[in-house]
Amino acid sequence: MVRIDRIRTSIVLAGIFAIALVFSHDSWDVFRLPKTLLLQAEAILLVGVTLAAILFGARVPRPRWSDPAVAVPLIAFATMIVVTITSTHPALSVKSLGPAAATLVVFFATVAAARDRAWIFVGVPLAAAVVNAILVVLEETHLWMPFGEQAGVSHHLQCTALVGNPNEVGSYLGAAALAGIAAWPTRRTVAPMLIIGLIASRTMTAMIAFAAGVVVMVAISSWKKAIRAAAVAAIAGAILIAVVAPLRHRAGRMVRLAQKGDYNALLTDRVTPFVAASLMFADHPLTGVGPGAFAWHYYDYKLRAQERLPSLRGAWNRGVNYGEVHNDHLQVLAEGGILGYAAFLVAIGALAAISFTIPADASDARQQFARRLAASLAVFWLVLSLAQFPLETPVVRSLLIHFAAVCVAWRSS
Amino acid sequence: MRVLRIAGLLVLVAATAYSLHRFVLLPLRCSRAASMGANALESAERRPDYDRRRAAVSVRESLRGCDCVSPANVQIFMTRGGASAALDDHRAAIADYQRALTIDRRPEIYFALGMSYLQILDRPAAIRNLRRACAFDPSRITAIPYEDVRAEMVASE
């Protein structure tokens, strides 16, 4: 049984490491599909290993249904099944259940494996994150472009590391940097590299979400320190914007757009998908249009959004068919309605609550890590979801779920 | 008891192997085939007719067995539709484009569907699909090679 446990741990660790690095160069979808498939492979192997263990005499796992760490993910998945049944496009929504089920399996396997282990569950994903942080710095500074460079596409958009587009890189490194900060008392080398990578990705939302997460992390121990940390973060942010040329240019552009009243351009031309998602929610408030159905419905709702706001017809991305809202709050509302959004908020709330269930004077370093990270990761996730889509990005979702599972596993000594 | 366990383990190994093939390897193979196929069709456009048709046959062959991959991949049906269109098998192309539309609706799919309907002389269906494509992305009007159809799109806009 110890061998099966080791196999399971190895699969979990290999999965969280490899998902940050795997890609398929000769595929149209270079990053997202291979990572989704890797997650599915990981889940299949975990189920296979667990069943094999039971076949050879291992105890059948008996979950404590009253434990929020068990109940909340299962309720979230059950909610997804309900909104799939009521979906406006069941065939698409059923196919969305696969990655969701895989995520659930990996979550529970990570909780089980991390219970008896320590810093390897932090070190392995952060090692993969460091590789990506170094890579994005090399790309942004024009030192090395591992996938070559395409003419006609801006250099910044091609700085993908091994994660995906720059927004996904920023989201991923933001979450990793937060975990690096939470591990700071025992592991100090990693966080600075990840923060540099986060800044290099130039993803404003991820940087703001990271700053919010750090403030919450400090607030867990002291509100006064948190206010000081917020002030320091604001000053550091202002200095960064002044010193780092691309950030300075972007900030200047945002000020000019705000003065002109061009709010669509200010929001990087995302008002159309925002309005389309809102209209979908308005038409299907209880259960939404169904998981995975936003992209399919976008075609008609985009035209309705342009009827509501004719100025959107002048947007440069008028011909772009958005696959995601670029705001997970609106995406969940559009695809899952009030039911889906409530499940999302309950899950995030359950994660945040872990920080407040661990005593401030806990002597176990792992418990202290969970106490620092849980609430800050929840706030990071909520803020990031205002302009990014971590739930739809396998690598970001996997990292968030991994650290959420580690927090669950380490909440008790 | 031991024999039962071994038999159970064999079934489990077979089920795991099948699941990995069905939900990991097959979608990956099909995605790569669709991507490489689209590139092959694009580069074959400027080549002689025989080369173009040979490339299209090869693309269709490479996408055999890719109908039910999960997660659903619209590129598979778009590429296969393009290959069928290159072979002048426009009814097969229409079937694939319509299948693509059940996964994702994009102006380029409606546009290709409209062009294929024109080839089989179903003008009302062609206009309907081209109109949908141009309503979403008006810049596509200029890509319509037929002046009368283009004029009808401009008039309806």
Side-chain angles (χ1 to χ4, degrees), chain B residues 21-51:
Chain B
H21 167 76
R22 175 78 174 75
F23 296 109
V24 181
L25 298 176
L26 182 63
L28 187 63
R29 175 185 80 73
C30 291
S31 170
R32 293 172 76 183
S35 179
M36 290 165 68
N39 291 338
L41 289 173
E42 200 178 337
S43 57
E45 257 174 36
R46 292 171 286 280
R47 297 221 299 262
D49 193 51
Y50 170 73
D51 288 340

Short mmCIF file of all heavy atoms in Angstrom, two decimals, chain B residues 21-51:
data_model
loop_
_atom_site.label_atom_id
_atom_site.label_comp_id
_atom_site.label_asym_id
_atom_site.label_seq_id
_atom_site.Cartn_x
_atom_site.Cartn_y
_atom_site.Cartn_z
N HIS B 21 -6.07 6.24 -24.55
CA HIS B 21 -6.12 6.37 -26.01
C HIS B 21 -7.27 7.28 -26.44
O HIS B 21 -7.08 8.22 -27.22
CB HIS B 21 -6.29 5.00 -26.66
CG HIS B 21 -6.65 5.08 -28.11
ND1 HIS B 21 -5.73 5.40 -29.09
CD2 HIS B 21 -7.84 4.91 -28.74
CE1 HIS B 21 -6.33 5.43 -30.27
NE2 HIS B 21 -7.62 5.13 -30.09
N ARG B 22 -8.45 7.05 -25.86
CA ARG B 22 -9.67 7.76 -26.29
C ARG B 22 -9.67 9.22 -25.87
O ARG B 22 -10.09 10.09 -26.63
CB ARG B 22 -10.87 7.02 -25.66
CG ARG B 22 -12.21 7.64 -25.86
CD ARG B 22 -12.77 7.37 -27.27
NE ARG B 22 -14.13 7.87 -27.36
CZ ARG B 22 -14.46 9.14 -27.46
NH1 ARG B 22 -13.52 10.05 -27.46
NH2 ARG B 22 -15.72 9.51 -27.52
N PHE B 23 -9.18 9.50 -24.65
CA PHE B 23 -9.32 10.86 -24.12
C PHE B 23 -8.02 11.65 -24.10
O PHE B 23 -8.03 12.82 -23.69
CB PHE B 23 -9.90 10.80 -22.69
CG PHE B 23 -11.29 10.24 -22.66
CD1 PHE B 23 -11.53 8.98 -22.12
CD2 PHE B 23 -12.34 10.95 -23.20
CE1 PHE B 23 -12.82 8.46 -22.11
CE2 PHE B 23 -13.63 10.42 -23.20
CZ PHE B 23 -13.87 9.16 -22.66
N VAL B 24 -6.91 11.04 -24.52
CA VAL B 24 -5.65 11.77 -24.52
C VAL B 24 -4.96 11.67 -25.89
O VAL B 24 -4.74 12.68 -26.56
CB VAL B 24 -4.71 11.25 -23.41
CG1 VAL B 24 -3.40 12.04 -23.41
CG2 VAL B 24 -5.38 11.36 -22.05
N LEU B 25 -4.64 10.45 -26.29
CA LEU B 25 -3.84 10.29 -27.52
C LEU B 25 -4.63 10.64 -28.77
O LEU B 25 -4.11 11.29 -29.68
CB LEU B 25 -3.29 8.87 -27.59
CG LEU B 25 -2.35 8.49 -26.46
CD1 LEU B 25 -1.92 7.04 -26.55
CD2 LEU B 25 -1.12 9.40 -26.44
N LEU B 26 -5.88 10.17 -28.85
CA LEU B 26 -6.68 10.43 -30.04
C LEU B 26 -6.95 11.93 -30.24
O LEU B 26 -6.74 12.45 -31.34
CB LEU B 26 -8.00 9.65 -29.97
CG LEU B 26 -8.93 9.79 -31.18
CD1 LEU B 26 -8.28 9.25 -32.43
CD2 LEU B 26 -10.26 9.06 -30.93
N PRO B 27 -7.40 12.66 -29.20
CA PRO B 27 -7.59 14.10 -29.40
C PRO B 27 -6.29 14.80 -29.81
O PRO B 27 -6.32 15.72 -30.63
CB PRO B 27 -8.07 14.60 -28.03
CG PRO B 27 -8.59 13.42 -27.32
CD PRO B 27 -7.85 12.25 -27.86
N LEU B 28 -5.17 14.37 -29.25
CA LEU B 28 -3.89 15.00 -29.59
C LEU B 28 -3.53 14.72 -31.04
O LEU B 28 -3.14 15.63 -31.79
CB LEU B 28 -2.80 14.50 -28.65
CG LEU B 28 -1.45 15.20 -28.78
CD1 LEU B 28 -1.57 16.68 -28.41
CD2 LEU B 28 -0.41 14.54 -27.88
N ARG B 29 -3.67 13.46 -31.46
CA ARG B 29 -3.35 13.11 -32.85
C ARG B 29 -4.24 13.89 -33.82
O ARG B 29 -3.77 14.44 -34.81
CB ARG B 29 -3.54 11.59 -33.07
CG ARG B 29 -3.36 11.19 -34.52
CD ARG B 29 -3.66 9.72 -34.79
NE ARG B 29 -5.07 9.42 -34.91
CZ ARG B 29 -5.85 9.73 -35.94
NH1 ARG B 29 -5.37 10.39 -36.97
NH2 ARG B 29 -7.13 9.37 -35.98
N CYS B 30 -5.53 13.94 -33.50
CA CYS B 30 -6.47 14.61 -34.39
C CYS B 30 -6.20 16.12 -34.44
O CYS B 30 -6.32 16.74 -35.50
CB CYS B 30 -7.90 14.33 -33.95
SG CYS B 30 -8.41 12.62 -34.21
N SER B 31 -5.86 16.71 -33.29
CA SER B 31 -5.56 18.14 -33.27
C SER B 31 -4.34 18.44 -34.14
O SER B 31 -4.34 19.40 -34.93
CB SER B 31 -5.33 18.59 -31.84
OG SER B 31 -4.83 19.90 -31.81
N ARG B 32 -3.32 17.62 -34.00
CA ARG B 32 -2.11 17.84 -34.80
C ARG B 32 -2.39 17.62 -36.28
O ARG B 32 -1.93 18.37 -37.14
CB ARG B 32 -0.99 16.92 -34.33
CG ARG B 32 -0.52 17.28 -32.93
CD ARG B 32 0.43 16.26 -32.38
NE ARG B 32 1.75 16.39 -32.97
CZ ARG B 32 2.75 15.58 -32.70
NH1 ARG B 32 2.60 14.58 -31.89
NH2 ARG B 32 3.93 15.78 -33.25
N ALA B 33 -3.17 16.58 -36.57
CA ALA B 33 -3.52 16.30 -37.98
C ALA B 33 -4.32 17.46 -38.57
O ALA B 33 -4.10 17.84 -39.72
CB ALA B 33 -4.32 15.00 -38.07
N ALA B 34 -5.24 18.02 -37.78
CA ALA B 34 -6.05 19.15 -38.27
C ALA B 34 -5.17 20.37 -38.53
O ALA B 34 -5.31 21.05 -39.54
CB ALA B 34 -7.15 19.50 -37.26
N SER B 35 -4.25 20.62 -37.60
CA SER B 35 -3.39 21.78 -37.74
C SER B 35 -2.45 21.62 -38.93
O SER B 35 -2.32 22.52 -39.77
CB SER B 35 -2.59 21.93 -36.45
OG SER B 35 -1.72 23.01 -36.55
N MET B 36 -1.81 20.47 -39.04
CA MET B 36 -0.89 20.23 -40.16
C MET B 36 -1.65 20.16 -41.47
O MET B 36 -1.16 20.61 -42.51
CB MET B 36 -0.08 18.95 -39.90
CG MET B 36 0.92 19.14 -38.76
SD MET B 36 1.60 17.62 -38.10
CE MET B 36 2.59 17.05 -39.43
N GLY B 37 -2.85 19.62 -41.41
CA GLY B 37 -3.68 19.54 -42.60
C GLY B 37 -4.06 20.92 -43.11
O GLY B 37 -4.01 21.19 -44.32
N ALA B 38 -4.42 21.83 -42.18
CA ALA B 38 -4.77 23.19 -42.58
C ALA B 38 -3.57 23.87 -43.24
O ALA B 38 -3.72 24.56 -44.27
CB ALA B 38 -5.25 23.99 -41.37
N ASN B 39 -2.39 23.67 -42.66
CA ASN B 39 -1.18 24.26 -43.26
C ASN B 39 -0.91 23.66 -44.64
O ASN B 39 -0.52 24.38 -45.57
CB ASN B 39 0.04 24.01 -42.35
CG ASN B 39 -0.05 24.81 -41.07
OD1 ASN B 39 -0.76 25.82 -41.01
ND2 ASN B 39 0.65 24.36 -40.04
N ALA B 40 -1.09 22.36 -44.77
CA ALA B 40 -0.85 21.68 -46.05
C ALA B 40 -1.81 22.19 -47.12
O ALA B 40 -1.40 22.43 -48.26
CB ALA B 40 -1.00 20.16 -45.88
N LEU B 41 -3.08 22.38 -46.75
CA LEU B 41 -4.06 22.87 -47.73
C LEU B 41 -3.72 24.29 -48.16
O LEU B 41 -3.85 24.64 -49.34
CB LEU B 41 -5.47 22.83 -47.12
CG LEU B 41 -6.08 21.45 -46.91
CD1 LEU B 41 -7.40 21.55 -46.16
CD2 LEU B 41 -6.30 20.73 -48.25
N GLU B 42 -3.28 25.09 -47.17
CA GLU B 42 -2.96 26.48 -47.50
C GLU B 42 -1.78 26.55 -48.46
O GLU B 42 -1.79 27.32 -49.43
CB GLU B 42 -2.62 27.22 -46.20
CG GLU B 42 -2.75 28.73 -46.33
CD GLU B 42 -2.45 29.42 -45.00
OE1 GLU B 42 -2.59 28.78 -43.95
OE2 GLU B 42 -2.08 30.61 -45.06
N SER B 43 -0.75 25.75 -48.19
CA SER B 43 0.43 25.82 -49.06
C SER B 43 0.17 25.15 -50.41
O SER B 43 0.82 25.46 -51.41
CB SER B 43 1.66 25.22 -48.37
OG SER B 43 1.41 23.90 -47.99
N ALA B 44 -0.81 24.22 -50.46
CA ALA B 44 -1.11 23.54 -51.72
C ALA B 44 -1.98 24.39 -52.64
O ALA B 44 -2.12 24.07 -53.83
CB ALA B 44 -1.82 22.21 -51.44
N GLU B 45 -2.56 25.47 -52.09
CA GLU B 45 -3.47 26.30 -52.90
C GLU B 45 -2.79 26.86 -54.14
O GLU B 45 -3.42 27.01 -55.19
CB GLU B 45 -3.99 27.48 -52.04
CG GLU B 45 -5.40 27.28 -51.56
CD GLU B 45 -5.86 28.36 -50.60
OE1 GLU B 45 -5.48 29.54 -50.77
OE2 GLU B 45 -6.59 28.01 -49.67
N ARG B 46 -1.50 27.18 -53.98
CA ARG B 46 -0.79 27.82 -55.10
C ARG B 46 -0.12 26.77 -56.00
O ARG B 46 0.57 27.12 -56.94
CB ARG B 46 0.27 28.79 -54.56
CG ARG B 46 -0.34 29.99 -53.87
CD ARG B 46 0.74 30.82 -53.15
NE ARG B 46 1.19 30.16 -51.92
CZ ARG B 46 0.54 30.18 -50.77
NH1 ARG B 46 -0.62 30.80 -50.68
NH2 ARG B 46 1.02 29.58 -49.71
N ARG B 47 -0.32 25.51 -55.70
CA ARG B 47 0.36 24.46 -56.49
C ARG B 47 -0.59 23.92 -57.57
O ARG B 47 -1.78 24.20 -57.57
CB ARG B 47 0.81 23.35 -55.54
CG ARG B 47 1.84 23.84 -54.52
CD ARG B 47 2.94 22.84 -54.30
NE ARG B 47 2.43 21.58 -53.79
CZ ARG B 47 2.44 21.22 -52.51
NH1 ARG B 47 2.87 22.06 -51.60
NH2 ARG B 47 2.00 20.04 -52.13
N PRO B 48 -0.06 23.11 -58.48
CA PRO B 48 -0.92 22.56 -59.55
C PRO B 48 -2.06 21.73 -58.97
O PRO B 48 -1.97 21.22 -57.84
CB PRO B 48 0.05 21.66 -60.36
CG PRO B 48 1.40 22.20 -60.07
CD PRO B 48 1.36 22.78 -58.70
N ASP B 49 -3.09 21.57 -59.76
CA ASP B 49 -4.33 20.92 -59.32
C ASP B 49 -4.08 19.53 -58.75
O ASP B 49 -4.64 19.14 -57.72
CB ASP B 49 -5.31 20.86 -60.50
CG ASP B 49 -6.69 20.48 -60.04
OD1 ASP B 49 -7.19 21.14 -59.10
OD2 ASP B 49 -7.28 19.54 -60.58
N TYR B 50 -3.21 18.76 -59.39
CA TYR B 50 -2.95 17.38 -58.94
C TYR B 50 -2.36 17.38 -57.52
O TYR B 50 -2.79 16.61 -56.67
CB TYR B 50 -1.98 16.68 -59.92
CG TYR B 50 -1.49 15.35 -59.40
CD1 TYR B 50 -2.34 14.24 -59.37
CD2 TYR B 50 -0.18 15.21 -58.94
CE1 TYR B 50 -1.90 13.03 -58.88
CE2 TYR B 50 0.25 13.98 -58.44
CZ TYR B 50 -0.61 12.91 -58.43
OH TYR B 50 -0.17 11.70 -57.94
N ASP B 51 -1.40 18.27 -57.29
CA ASP B 51 -0.77 18.36 -55.96
C ASP B 51 -1.78 18.78 -54.91
O ASP B 51 -1.79 18.28 -53.78
CB ASP B 51 0.38 19.38 -55.98
CG ASP B 51 1.58 18.85 -56.74
OD1 ASP B 51 1.68 17.62 -56.91
OD2 ASP B 51 2.41 19.67 -57.17
#
